[in-house]
Amino acid sequence: MTKYKITVIPGDGIGPEVTESACEVLKAVGRKSGHSFAYTEVAAGGAAIDSCGMPLPKETLRLAKESDAVLLGAVGGPKWDNLPGDARPEAALLGLRKGLGLFANLRLAVLFPELRDASPLRPDLVKDGVDILIVRELTGGIYFGKRGREKKVEKLEDGTPKGVEAFDVECYCEAEIERILRVGYNSAMQRNKHLTVVDKANILETSRLWRSVTEKISKEYPEVETDFMYVDNASMQLVRCPKQFDVIVTSNMFGDILSDEAGMITGSIGMLPSASLGVPGTPGMYEPVHGSAPDIAGKGIANPLATILSAAMMLRYSLGLPREGAKVEQAVSEVLAKGFRTADIVENRGDSFLGTKEITEKVIDEYEKL
Ligand code: IPM
Ligand code: MG
Protein backbone atom coordinates (compact mmCIF):
# COMPACT_ATOMS: atom_id res chain seq x y z
CA MET A 1 0.00 0.00 0.00
CA THR A 2 1.40 3.36 -1.05
CA LYS A 3 0.45 6.84 0.00
CA TYR A 4 0.59 9.17 -2.98
CA LYS A 5 1.03 12.92 -2.62
CA ILE A 6 -1.11 14.81 -5.09
CA THR A 7 -0.91 18.57 -5.52
CA VAL A 8 -4.30 19.87 -6.59
CA ILE A 9 -4.54 23.19 -8.43
CA PRO A 10 -8.27 23.87 -8.84
CA GLY A 11 -7.61 27.19 -10.61
CA ASP A 12 -10.40 29.26 -12.12
CA GLY A 13 -13.89 28.96 -13.57
CA ILE A 14 -15.12 25.37 -13.48
CA GLY A 15 -11.65 24.18 -12.36
CA PRO A 16 -12.60 23.72 -8.67
CA GLU A 17 -15.74 21.72 -9.54
CA VAL A 18 -14.06 19.31 -11.93
CA THR A 19 -10.95 18.71 -9.80
CA GLU A 20 -13.20 17.93 -6.84
CA SER A 21 -14.88 15.24 -8.95
CA ALA A 22 -11.57 13.70 -9.99
CA CYS A 23 -10.42 13.65 -6.36
CA GLU A 24 -13.64 11.82 -5.37
CA VAL A 25 -12.95 9.20 -8.03
CA LEU A 26 -9.35 8.81 -6.84
CA LYS A 27 -10.66 8.34 -3.30
CA ALA A 28 -12.79 5.47 -4.60
CA VAL A 29 -9.69 4.05 -6.30
CA GLY A 30 -7.92 4.28 -2.94
CA ARG A 31 -10.75 2.45 -1.12
CA LYS A 32 -10.66 -0.39 -3.61
CA SER A 33 -6.94 -0.72 -4.27
CA GLY A 34 -5.72 -0.15 -0.73
CA HIS A 35 -3.60 2.84 -1.73
CA SER A 36 -4.26 6.33 -0.47
CA PHE A 37 -4.06 9.80 -1.89
CA ALA A 38 -3.11 12.83 0.16
CA TYR A 39 -4.24 16.05 -1.50
CA THR A 40 -2.59 19.43 -1.03
CA GLU A 41 -4.59 22.23 -2.58
CA VAL A 42 -2.65 25.22 -3.87
CA ALA A 43 -3.42 28.36 -5.86
CA ALA A 44 -2.40 29.26 -9.41
CA GLY A 45 -3.83 31.36 -12.23
CA GLY A 46 -6.49 33.99 -11.61
CA ALA A 47 -7.22 32.58 -8.14
CA ALA A 48 -3.57 33.19 -7.18
CA ILE A 49 -3.57 36.67 -8.73
CA ASP A 50 -6.52 37.50 -6.48
CA SER A 51 -5.14 35.90 -3.32
CA CYS A 52 -1.36 36.48 -3.65
CA GLY A 53 -0.96 39.08 -6.39
CA MET A 54 0.84 36.75 -8.81
CA PRO A 55 -0.23 33.91 -11.13
CA LEU A 56 2.27 31.33 -9.86
CA PRO A 57 3.31 31.74 -6.21
CA LYS A 58 6.70 30.15 -5.38
CA GLU A 59 5.03 27.95 -2.78
CA THR A 60 2.76 26.43 -5.45
CA LEU A 61 5.71 25.40 -7.60
CA ARG A 62 7.63 24.12 -4.58
CA LEU A 63 4.78 21.90 -3.41
CA ALA A 64 4.13 20.71 -6.96
CA LYS A 65 7.76 19.64 -7.28
CA GLU A 66 7.58 17.70 -4.01
CA SER A 67 4.51 15.69 -4.97
CA ASP A 68 4.01 12.51 -6.97
CA ALA A 69 1.69 14.20 -9.44
CA VAL A 70 -0.21 17.42 -10.04
CA LEU A 71 -3.89 17.65 -10.91
CA LEU A 72 -4.91 20.95 -12.50
CA GLY A 73 -8.42 22.20 -13.29
CA ALA A 74 -8.11 25.23 -15.55
CA VAL A 75 -6.79 28.77 -15.39
CA GLY A 76 -7.96 32.05 -16.87
CA GLY A 77 -11.09 34.11 -17.30
CA PRO A 78 -12.34 37.46 -18.54
CA LYS A 79 -11.63 39.09 -15.19
CA TRP A 80 -7.87 38.93 -15.82
CA ASP A 81 -7.87 39.41 -19.60
CA ASN A 82 -6.49 42.93 -19.54
CA LEU A 83 -3.36 42.16 -17.52
CA PRO A 84 0.04 42.24 -19.29
CA GLY A 85 1.46 38.90 -20.60
CA ASP A 86 3.51 37.68 -17.65
CA ALA A 87 0.93 38.75 -15.06
CA ARG A 88 -1.92 36.84 -16.72
CA PRO A 89 -3.29 33.55 -15.34
CA GLU A 90 -1.85 31.68 -18.37
CA ALA A 91 1.65 32.59 -17.17
CA ALA A 92 1.08 30.09 -14.34
CA LEU A 93 0.74 27.29 -16.88
CA LEU A 94 3.95 28.21 -18.65
CA GLY A 95 5.74 28.55 -15.28
CA LEU A 96 4.51 25.13 -14.12
CA ARG A 97 5.51 23.51 -17.41
CA LYS A 98 9.00 25.00 -17.35
CA GLY A 99 9.44 24.69 -13.57
CA LEU A 100 8.50 21.02 -13.54
CA GLY A 101 10.37 20.29 -16.79
CA LEU A 102 7.19 18.98 -18.45
CA PHE A 103 8.51 18.68 -21.98
CA ALA A 104 5.98 16.15 -23.26
CA ASN A 105 2.29 16.96 -23.56
CA LEU A 106 0.04 14.05 -24.41
CA ARG A 107 -3.37 15.06 -25.69
CA LEU A 108 -5.92 12.49 -26.72
CA ALA A 109 -8.61 13.13 -29.28
CA VAL A 110 -10.95 10.16 -29.03
CA LEU A 111 -14.42 9.95 -30.46
CA PHE A 112 -16.38 7.86 -27.97
CA PRO A 113 -18.69 5.50 -29.90
CA GLU A 114 -21.66 6.69 -27.81
CA LEU A 115 -20.94 10.32 -28.72
CA ARG A 116 -20.32 9.84 -32.44
CA ASP A 117 -23.16 12.21 -33.35
CA ALA A 118 -21.40 15.01 -31.49
CA SER A 119 -18.67 15.28 -34.12
CA PRO A 120 -19.14 18.30 -36.38
CA LEU A 121 -17.71 16.21 -39.25
CA ARG A 122 -19.95 14.37 -41.70
CA PRO A 123 -20.86 10.90 -40.35
CA ASP A 124 -19.06 9.11 -43.21
CA LEU A 125 -15.80 10.84 -42.25
CA VAL A 126 -15.89 9.55 -38.66
CA LYS A 127 -17.71 6.25 -39.12
CA ASP A 128 -14.49 4.33 -38.31
CA GLY A 129 -13.91 6.39 -35.19
CA VAL A 130 -11.20 8.86 -34.24
CA ASP A 131 -8.37 7.97 -31.88
CA ILE A 132 -5.42 10.33 -32.13
CA LEU A 133 -2.68 10.96 -29.62
CA ILE A 134 -0.98 14.30 -30.10
CA VAL A 135 2.45 14.42 -28.51
CA ARG A 136 3.24 18.10 -28.25
CA GLU A 137 6.69 19.39 -27.27
CA LEU A 138 5.93 21.66 -24.33
CA THR A 139 8.98 23.48 -22.99
CA GLY A 140 10.77 24.66 -26.11
CA GLY A 141 10.22 26.34 -29.46
CA ILE A 142 8.67 29.73 -29.98
CA TYR A 143 6.88 29.65 -26.60
CA PHE A 144 10.17 29.87 -24.75
CA GLY A 145 12.49 31.38 -27.38
CA LYS A 146 14.01 34.83 -27.28
CA ARG A 147 11.40 37.54 -27.72
CA GLY A 148 11.43 41.27 -27.71
CA ARG A 149 10.83 44.58 -29.45
CA GLU A 150 13.14 46.99 -31.20
CA LYS A 151 12.63 50.46 -32.56
CA LYS A 152 13.74 50.31 -36.20
CA VAL A 153 15.25 53.16 -38.17
CA GLU A 154 14.85 51.34 -41.51
CA LYS A 155 11.95 51.89 -43.89
CA LEU A 156 9.68 49.60 -45.94
CA GLU A 157 10.13 49.49 -49.75
CA ASP A 158 7.66 52.35 -50.17
CA GLY A 159 9.50 54.57 -47.70
CA THR A 160 7.16 54.09 -44.70
CA PRO A 161 9.23 54.06 -41.47
CA LYS A 162 9.14 50.61 -39.89
CA GLY A 163 8.49 51.83 -36.36
CA VAL A 164 8.66 49.17 -33.64
CA GLU A 165 9.48 45.59 -34.66
CA ALA A 166 8.69 42.56 -32.46
CA PHE A 167 10.21 39.10 -32.64
CA ASP A 168 9.65 35.60 -31.17
CA VAL A 169 12.33 33.04 -31.94
CA GLU A 170 11.67 29.36 -32.70
CA CYS A 171 14.65 27.37 -31.45
CA TYR A 172 15.13 23.61 -30.94
CA CYS A 173 18.21 21.54 -30.16
CA GLU A 174 18.75 17.89 -31.11
CA ALA A 175 18.40 16.68 -27.51
CA GLU A 176 15.00 18.35 -27.10
CA ILE A 177 13.78 16.84 -30.37
CA GLU A 178 15.13 13.42 -29.55
CA ARG A 179 13.46 13.17 -26.14
CA ILE A 180 10.03 14.19 -27.42
CA LEU A 181 10.35 11.78 -30.34
CA ARG A 182 11.10 8.97 -27.91
CA VAL A 183 7.89 9.74 -26.00
CA GLY A 184 6.08 9.60 -29.35
CA TYR A 185 7.68 6.31 -30.42
CA ASN A 186 7.11 4.65 -27.06
CA SER A 187 3.46 5.70 -27.20
CA ALA A 188 3.16 4.47 -30.79
CA MET A 189 4.52 1.08 -29.69
CA GLN A 190 1.64 0.86 -27.19
CA ARG A 191 -0.89 1.90 -29.83
CA ASN A 192 -1.13 1.30 -33.58
CA LYS A 193 2.57 1.73 -34.40
CA HIS A 194 2.15 4.70 -36.71
CA LEU A 195 3.85 8.02 -36.04
CA THR A 196 3.50 11.22 -38.02
CA VAL A 197 5.93 14.08 -37.46
CA VAL A 198 4.15 17.33 -38.30
CA ASP A 199 6.35 20.25 -39.30
CA LYS A 200 6.99 22.98 -41.85
CA ALA A 201 10.23 21.60 -43.27
CA ASN A 202 9.68 23.31 -46.61
CA ILE A 203 10.33 26.63 -44.82
CA LEU A 204 11.74 26.24 -41.31
CA GLU A 205 15.28 25.20 -40.39
CA THR A 206 14.04 23.90 -37.01
CA SER A 207 11.70 21.54 -38.89
CA ARG A 208 14.58 20.29 -41.02
CA LEU A 209 16.47 19.47 -37.82
CA TRP A 210 13.34 17.64 -36.52
CA ARG A 211 13.38 15.57 -39.72
CA SER A 212 17.05 14.60 -39.49
CA VAL A 213 16.72 13.63 -35.81
CA THR A 214 13.62 11.60 -36.70
CA GLU A 215 15.50 9.76 -39.48
CA LYS A 216 18.05 8.71 -36.85
CA ILE A 217 15.66 7.76 -34.01
CA SER A 218 13.16 5.96 -36.26
CA LYS A 219 15.79 3.27 -36.92
CA GLU A 220 15.50 2.22 -33.29
CA TYR A 221 11.76 1.60 -33.75
CA PRO A 222 11.59 -0.50 -36.94
CA GLU A 223 8.10 -1.71 -36.08
CA VAL A 224 6.72 1.82 -36.19
CA GLU A 225 5.75 3.29 -39.53
CA THR A 226 7.06 6.87 -39.61
CA ASP A 227 5.90 9.61 -41.91
CA PHE A 228 6.24 13.39 -42.20
CA MET A 229 3.53 15.91 -42.96
CA TYR A 230 3.58 19.67 -43.37
CA VAL A 231 1.43 21.39 -40.76
CA ASP A 232 -0.88 23.10 -43.27
CA ASN A 233 -1.59 19.76 -44.91
CA ALA A 234 -2.00 18.09 -41.50
CA SER A 235 -4.67 20.57 -40.46
CA MET A 236 -6.52 19.73 -43.68
CA GLN A 237 -6.03 15.95 -43.35
CA LEU A 238 -7.39 16.04 -39.80
CA VAL A 239 -10.80 17.10 -41.06
CA ARG A 240 -10.60 15.15 -44.35
CA CYS A 241 -9.70 11.75 -42.89
CA PRO A 242 -8.91 11.75 -39.15
CA LYS A 243 -8.69 7.96 -39.13
CA GLN A 244 -5.30 8.09 -40.91
CA PHE A 245 -3.59 9.36 -37.73
CA ASP A 246 -2.41 7.37 -34.75
CA VAL A 247 0.35 9.35 -32.99
CA ILE A 248 1.29 12.88 -34.08
CA VAL A 249 4.55 14.32 -32.73
CA THR A 250 5.06 18.02 -33.19
CA SER A 251 6.49 21.27 -31.87
CA ASN A 252 4.99 23.39 -29.11
CA MET A 253 3.20 25.88 -31.38
CA PHE A 254 1.93 23.42 -34.00
CA GLY A 255 0.79 21.09 -31.19
CA ASP A 256 -1.15 23.90 -29.55
CA ILE A 257 -3.08 24.57 -32.74
CA LEU A 258 -3.58 21.00 -33.96
CA SER A 259 -4.69 19.70 -30.57
CA ASP A 260 -7.56 22.20 -30.54
CA GLU A 261 -8.53 21.14 -34.04
CA ALA A 262 -8.34 17.43 -33.18
CA GLY A 263 -10.34 18.05 -30.00
CA MET A 264 -13.06 19.80 -31.93
CA ILE A 265 -13.36 16.87 -34.34
CA THR A 266 -14.55 14.73 -31.43
CA GLY A 267 -17.22 17.33 -30.71
CA SER A 268 -16.83 16.68 -27.01
CA ILE A 269 -14.04 18.82 -25.69
CA GLY A 270 -15.48 18.21 -22.22
CA MET A 271 -14.29 14.62 -22.55
CA LEU A 272 -10.62 15.07 -23.45
CA PRO A 273 -7.82 14.49 -20.94
CA SER A 274 -4.15 15.42 -21.10
CA ALA A 275 -0.89 14.59 -19.40
CA SER A 276 2.28 16.67 -19.27
CA LEU A 277 5.37 14.66 -18.44
CA GLY A 278 9.00 15.32 -17.64
CA VAL A 279 11.86 12.91 -17.09
CA PRO A 280 10.81 9.65 -15.39
CA GLY A 281 10.60 9.92 -11.63
CA THR A 282 9.49 13.55 -11.63
CA PRO A 283 5.85 14.59 -11.09
CA GLY A 284 3.62 14.82 -14.14
CA MET A 285 0.77 17.29 -14.46
CA TYR A 286 -2.71 16.21 -15.50
CA GLU A 287 -5.47 18.48 -16.72
CA PRO A 288 -8.57 18.48 -18.92
CA VAL A 289 -8.10 19.95 -22.41
CA HIS A 290 -11.14 22.23 -22.00
CA GLY A 291 -10.59 25.60 -20.41
CA SER A 292 -12.10 27.35 -17.42
CA ALA A 293 -15.56 27.89 -19.02
CA PRO A 294 -16.36 30.95 -16.85
CA ASP A 295 -19.89 31.16 -18.28
CA ILE A 296 -21.01 28.00 -16.47
CA ALA A 297 -18.72 28.21 -13.42
CA GLY A 298 -20.36 27.57 -10.07
CA LYS A 299 -23.58 26.22 -11.58
CA GLY A 300 -22.79 22.57 -10.85
CA ILE A 301 -23.29 21.54 -14.47
CA ALA A 302 -19.68 21.28 -15.72
CA ASN A 303 -18.64 18.00 -17.30
CA PRO A 304 -16.02 16.44 -14.99
CA LEU A 305 -15.26 13.46 -17.27
CA ALA A 306 -12.18 15.01 -18.93
CA THR A 307 -10.66 15.63 -15.50
CA ILE A 308 -11.62 12.16 -14.29
CA LEU A 309 -9.96 10.73 -17.43
CA SER A 310 -6.92 12.92 -16.69
CA ALA A 311 -6.78 11.32 -13.24
CA ALA A 312 -6.84 7.94 -15.04
CA MET A 313 -3.79 9.06 -17.03
CA MET A 314 -2.16 10.07 -13.75
CA LEU A 315 -2.73 6.57 -12.35
CA ARG A 316 -1.11 5.13 -15.46
CA TYR A 317 1.83 7.46 -16.10
CA SER A 318 2.83 8.87 -12.70
CA LEU A 319 1.57 6.49 -10.03
CA GLY A 320 2.36 3.12 -11.58
CA LEU A 321 -1.27 1.96 -11.33
CA PRO A 322 -2.19 1.30 -14.99
CA ARG A 323 -4.84 -1.30 -14.13
CA GLU A 324 -6.70 1.15 -11.92
CA GLY A 325 -6.38 3.81 -14.64
CA ALA A 326 -7.93 1.44 -17.18
CA LYS A 327 -10.79 0.68 -14.78
CA VAL A 328 -11.56 4.37 -14.35
CA GLU A 329 -11.65 4.74 -18.15
CA GLN A 330 -13.92 1.74 -18.41
CA ALA A 331 -16.22 3.18 -15.73
CA VAL A 332 -16.55 6.39 -17.77
CA SER A 333 -17.42 4.34 -20.88
CA GLU A 334 -20.05 2.38 -18.93
CA VAL A 335 -21.64 5.62 -17.72
CA LEU A 336 -21.87 6.86 -21.32
CA ALA A 337 -23.14 3.49 -22.56
CA LYS A 338 -25.95 3.69 -19.99
CA GLY A 339 -26.98 6.98 -21.52
CA PHE A 340 -25.94 9.33 -18.73
CA ARG A 341 -24.87 12.72 -20.04
CA THR A 342 -23.85 16.15 -18.81
CA ALA A 343 -25.35 19.27 -20.40
CA ASP A 344 -22.55 19.70 -22.95
CA ILE A 345 -22.94 16.21 -24.45
CA VAL A 346 -26.71 15.68 -24.55
CA GLU A 347 -27.85 14.67 -28.00
CA ASN A 348 -30.74 17.11 -28.32
CA ARG A 349 -31.35 20.38 -26.60
CA GLY A 350 -33.92 19.78 -23.88
CA ASP A 351 -32.77 16.19 -23.16
CA SER A 352 -32.31 15.56 -19.48
CA PHE A 353 -28.78 15.64 -18.11
CA LEU A 354 -26.86 15.12 -14.90
CA GLY A 355 -24.91 17.70 -12.93
CA THR A 356 -21.22 17.49 -12.08
CA LYS A 357 -21.73 15.70 -8.76
CA GLU A 358 -24.37 13.28 -10.06
CA ILE A 359 -22.33 12.04 -13.01
CA THR A 360 -19.29 11.68 -10.73
CA GLU A 361 -21.34 9.40 -8.49
CA LYS A 362 -22.33 7.33 -11.53
CA VAL A 363 -18.65 6.91 -12.48
CA ILE A 364 -17.81 5.85 -8.93
CA ASP A 365 -20.72 3.35 -8.92
CA GLU A 366 -19.46 1.80 -12.15
CA TYR A 367 -15.86 1.79 -10.98
CA GLU A 368 -16.84 -0.04 -7.80
CA LYS A 369 -18.48 -2.78 -9.85
CA LEU A 370 -15.28 -3.50 -11.82
C1 IPM B 1 -3.00 25.14 -24.11
C2 IPM B 1 -3.32 26.61 -23.97
C3 IPM B 1 -2.07 27.31 -23.47
C4 IPM B 1 -1.00 27.14 -24.53
C5 IPM B 1 -2.27 28.79 -23.13
C6 IPM B 1 -3.41 29.01 -22.19
C7 IPM B 1 -0.99 29.38 -22.58
O1 IPM B 1 -3.78 27.13 -25.18
O2 IPM B 1 -2.64 24.53 -23.09
O3 IPM B 1 -3.14 24.63 -25.21
O4 IPM B 1 -0.94 27.91 -25.50
O5 IPM B 1 -0.19 26.22 -24.39
MG1 MG C 1 -4.09 25.68 -26.70
Side-chain angles (χ1 to χ4, degrees):
M1 167 177 160
T2 313
K3 186 169 183 179
Y4 296 101
K5 284 196 284 185
I6 315 288
T7 299
V8 182
I9 306 179
D12 309 318
I14 58 172
E17 298 160 64
V18 294
T19 46
E20 189 186 326
S21 289
C23 291
E24 288 300 322
V25 172
L26 285 176
K27 268 186 209 154
V29 171
R31 284 196 296 275
K32 201 165 172 182
S33 65
H35 301 292
S36 68
F37 302 92
Y39 304 114
T40 309
E41 205 174 294
V42 293
I49 295 174
D50 290 351
S51 62
C52 325
M54 62 185 87
L56 182 61
K58 279 203 177 67
E59 186 65 359
T60 295
L61 187 57
R62 191 183 66 78
L63 287 163
K65 279 183 182 168
E66 281 178 4
S67 57
D68 294 305
V70 180
L71 181 71
L72 182 127
V75 298
K79 184 176 173 195
W80 307 280
D81 267 352
N82 295 321
L83 293 169
D86 53 2
R88 292 172 60 97
E90 290 82 355
L93 271 185
L94 298 189
L96 283 161
R97 289 172 184 171
K98 201 67 176 174
L100 295 170
L102 305 172
F103 65 86
N105 184 214
L106 275 49
R107 292 188 176 180
L108 279 166
V110 176
L111 186 58
F112 288 82
E114 297 85 359
L115 302 179
R116 198 157 283 174
D117 293 343
S119 174
L121 293 188
R122 259 187 359 238
D124 59 307
L125 299 177
V126 293
K127 66 177 186 324
D128 301 323
V130 176
D131 184 354
I132 306 170
L133 175 67
I134 299 193
V135 178
R136 168 189 176 192
E137 200 290 327
L138 202 60
T139 50
I142 198 165
Y143 271 63
F144 292 94
K146 214 168 157 190
R147 69 179 94 253
R149 291 178 182 224
E150 268 168 26
K151 177 90 184 143
K152 296 304 246 192
V153 291
E154 295 93 339
K155 300 188 165 95
L156 297 182
E157 301 77 5
D158 68 355
T160 317
K162 280 192 167 176
V164 172
E165 186 178 84
F167 60 93
D168 299 272
V169 177
E170 170 88 348
C171 181
Y172 272 113
C173 66
E174 288 175 302
E176 283 174 309
I177 301 167
E178 182 172 331
R179 66 182 181 180
I180 192 71
L181 280 168
R182 287 193 187 283
V183 173
Y185 275 107
N186 290 331
S187 308
M189 288 297 289
Q190 313 284 320
R191 294 172 48 98
N192 293 318
K193 302 196 169 74
H194 177 202
L195 180 144
T196 306
V197 173
V198 171
D199 62 24
K200 189 71 186 170
N202 48 350
I203 301 291
L204 302 177
E205 197 54 34
T206 41
S207 292
R208 291 193 270 267
L209 186 62
W210 274 71
R211 286 203 178 197
S212 60
V213 176
T214 308
E215 304 282 3
K216 193 180 87 186
I217 302 300
S218 62
K219 296 200 174 67
E220 295 175 34
Y221 301 87
E223 283 176 59
V224 177
E225 181 194 341
T226 304
D227 47 39
F228 298 98
M229 198 180 276
Y230 297 143
V231 62
D232 46 351
N233 185 28
S235 79
M236 193 170 75
Q237 295 299 333
L238 272 170
V239 288
R240 196 188 70 85
C241 176
K243 187 67 194 168
Q244 70 185 287
F245 296 104
D246 174 24
V247 176
I248 290 176
V249 185
T250 192
S251 64
N252 205 342
M253 178 76 142
F254 294 159
D256 178 44
I257 299 165
L258 293 181
S259 61
D260 268 21
E261 188 185 354
M264 191 60 221
I265 288 168
T266 71
S268 327
I269 191 130
M271 298 294 304
L272 304 178
S274 83
S276 301
L277 308 173
V279 293
T282 61
M285 186 162 87
Y286 299 82
E287 62 185 300
V289 167
H290 63 69
S292 57
D295 51 322
I296 57 161
K299 295 188 179 164
I301 57 167
N303 181 351
L305 298 178
T307 316
I308 291 171
L309 292 169
S310 302
M313 289 182 101
M314 173 192 285
L315 291 165
R316 176 172 299 130
Y317 292 111
S318 283
L319 308 184
L321 300 171
R323 289 225 312 272
E324 298 310 316
K327 280 189 206 162
V328 170
E329 286 162 357
Q330 201 186 329
V332 170
S333 293
E334 301 284 347
V335 165
L336 294 175
K338 291 196 166 155
F340 298 117
R341 300 283 184 271
T342 44
D344 57 315
I345 52 173
V346 288
E347 207 160 315
N348 305 298
R349 264 171 185 271
D351 283 357
S352 68
F353 59 83
L354 299 182
T356 311
K357 285 208 162 78
E358 291 80 32
I359 201 149
T360 305
E361 279 161 22
K362 297 286 180 203
V363 173
I364 293 172
D365 288 348
E366 292 302 326
Y367 171 81
E368 282 172 347
K369 286 186 214 158
L370 294 170

